[in-house]
């Protein structure tokens, strides 16, 4: 047998097309980028804003590799990364603050919001610092986020990223959720993970239901109350489901320091699609 370094056949890169049902978001991102370029007096980009918006949305929606998107559009990987980070920052700046989001719900006649926490999986990193990101509850590494939705499950606010081992109550206390709810005159429906957050027996703001133990069995009335509460809380899971349709959240490979901006940018994009 003769050794040869010649390839059996010629190879060449292939470019394929992929449909993105995100027309509203594409227009919004393109307009947002145009206004930003005008504000910073940047007159030239290698691709038009509309094309840049499509590239960034493909990265966020389908978790396309930056190198693949760069090769398919004849730009460098660092350029695509810069576009992604630029647009994520512009979108995250549009995410509502907690106090303003609650006051808006109150002005619209809302009485309660839904609160819950979620874990976004991340790649495991080396070093002792990553131990904080391990969630014993989910048995995986990730970042903890707290979110609020309205009664219909529409996301209205999302917290900063915290280590995966963070408890829901700890995150809620850090963000002063109880104080903001009282200031807006709103209540909140929560799961049993938030027990102990609101100890006001006479005028509770956060309703968490009843907890059964070995020595204390629930009465039929308490079981019925828990069932009604579960039905009322169901839309918050729908809100998280809409958010996690962005496949980049299947397992974050970005720097955890940028995760807060990413989640808040995706909140803005998710609400754009829901309201379309």
């Amino acid at each position: 047998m003769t050794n040869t370094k010649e390839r059996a056949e010629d190879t060449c890169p292939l470019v394929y097309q992929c449909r993105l049902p995100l027309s509203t978001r594409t227009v919004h991102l393109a307009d947002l980028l145009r206004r930003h370029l005008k504000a910073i007096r940047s007159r030239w980009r290698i691709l038009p804003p509309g094309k840049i918006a499509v590239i960034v949305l493909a990265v966020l929606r389908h978790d396309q590799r930056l190198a693949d998107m760069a090769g398919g559009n004849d730009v460098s990987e660092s350029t695509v990364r810069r576009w992604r980070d630029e647009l994520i920052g512009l979108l995250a700046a549009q995410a509502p603050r907690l106090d303003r989001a609650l006051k808006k719900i109150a002005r619209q006649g809302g009485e309660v919001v839904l609160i819950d926490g979620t874990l976004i999986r991340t790649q495991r990193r080396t070093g002792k610092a990553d131990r904080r990101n391990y969630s014993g509850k989910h048995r995986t590494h990730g970042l903890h986020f707290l979110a609020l939705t309205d009664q219909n499950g529409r996301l209205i606010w999302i917290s900063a990223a915290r280590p995966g081992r963070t408890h829901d109550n700890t995150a809620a206390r850090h963000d002063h959720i109880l104080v903001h709810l009282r200031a807006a005159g709103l209540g909140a429906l929560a799961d049993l993970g938030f027990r102990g957050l609101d100890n006001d027996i006479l005028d509770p703001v956060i309703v968490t239901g009843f907890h059964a133990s070995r020595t204390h069995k629930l009465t039929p009335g308490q079981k019925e109350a828990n069932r009604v509460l579960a039905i009322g809380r169901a839309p918050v899971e729908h809100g998280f489901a809409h958010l996690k349709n962005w496949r980049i959240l299947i397992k974050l490979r970005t720097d955890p320091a940028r995760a807060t901006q990413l989640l808040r940018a995706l909140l803005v994009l998710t609400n754009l699609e829901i309201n379309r």
Side-chain angles (χ1 to χ4, degrees):
M1 180 180 294
T2 305
N3 293 330
T4 177
K5 294 183 180 180
E6 295 181 359
R7 293 175 296 182
E9 58 180 352
D10 292 335
T11 60
C12 63
L14 298 177
V15 180
Y16 66 92
Q17 294 181 340
C18 180
R19 188 176 73 92
L20 284 172
L22 306 171
S23 58
T24 301
R25 302 171 191 170
T26 305
V27 172
H28 178 79
L29 246 64
D31 290 343
L32 191 63
L33 182 56
R34 289 189 187 97
R35 293 195 298 268
H36 173 66
L37 295 179
K38 185 177 180 180
I40 64 175
R41 297 182 179 181
S42 177
R43 299 182 179 180
W44 182 85
R45 290 289 169 92
I46 194 171
L47 292 177
K51 185 67 173 180
I52 294 175
V54 171
I55 292 172
V56 173
L57 286 172
V59 171
L60 299 179
R61 188 68 171 186
H62 294 305
D63 197 19
Q64 295 282 1
R65 293 176 66 249
L66 299 183
D68 292 339
M69 296 303 298
N73 292 277
D74 294 326
V75 295
S76 67
E77 181 179 351
S78 60
T79 299
V80 176
R81 181 180 292 105
R82 185 170 64 252
W83 289 342
R84 180 201 64 185
D85 294 342
E86 182 179 41
L87 283 175
I88 285 176
L90 293 174
L91 286 168
Q94 295 186 332
R97 286 173 24 183
L98 176 58
D99 55 346
R100 295 177 180 175
L102 293 177
K103 289 178 180 178
K104 182 178 179 180
I105 294 294
R107 286 195 305 268
Q108 294 173 348
E111 297 180 352
V112 298
V113 294
L114 311 179
I115 182 173
D116 203 358
T118 189
L119 186 82
I120 303 296
R121 294 181 61 199
T122 61
Q123 282 187 323
R124 183 173 180 178
R125 298 172 182 268
T126 58
K128 295 181 180 180
D130 192 54
R131 293 180 182 178
R132 301 184 308 156
N133 290 340
Y134 182 78
S135 170
K137 175 182 177 181
H138 298 88
R139 297 183 179 180
T140 186
H141 287 77
L143 296 174
H144 179 275
F145 290 88
L146 203 65
L148 295 178
T149 72
D150 60 15
Q151 298 180 59
N152 297 320
R154 180 179 180 273
L155 287 165
I156 60 174
W157 173 81
I158 197 163
S159 72
R162 294 189 176 89
R165 69 181 185 184
T166 304
H167 193 276
D168 289 339
N169 269 358
T170 303
R173 291 191 180 101
H174 188 276
D175 289 316
H176 308 289
I177 296 293
L178 197 59
V179 174
H180 287 293
L181 286 171
R182 291 190 184 279
L186 296 174
L189 304 182
D191 60 17
L192 293 178
F194 291 88
R195 289 176 63 247
L197 179 61
D198 185 3
N199 294 320
D200 192 334
I201 301 177
L202 299 178
D203 185 23
V205 173
I206 298 180
V207 180
T208 59
F210 299 95
H211 175 65
S213 65
R214 292 182 180 179
T215 58
H216 175 71
K217 303 300 181 181
L218 297 183
T219 66
Q222 291 173 334
K223 291 181 180 180
E224 179 64 18
N226 281 355
R227 187 185 71 83
V228 173
L229 179 62
I231 294 174
R233 286 192 61 258
V236 72
E237 301 298 338
H238 301 162
F240 280 132
H242 286 303
L243 184 67
K244 292 182 179 181
N245 278 336
W246 298 91
R247 295 179 185 173
I248 195 172
L249 298 183
I250 293 177
K251 179 177 282 189
L252 281 181
R253 294 189 295 273
T254 186
D255 187 344
R258 298 180 180 271
T260 298
Q261 274 197 334
L262 173 61
L263 266 292
R264 289 176 175 171
L266 295 181
L267 180 148
V268 173
L269 290 174
T270 300
N271 287 337
L272 281 174
E273 183 67 13
I274 293 176
N275 294 334
R276 187 173 64 177

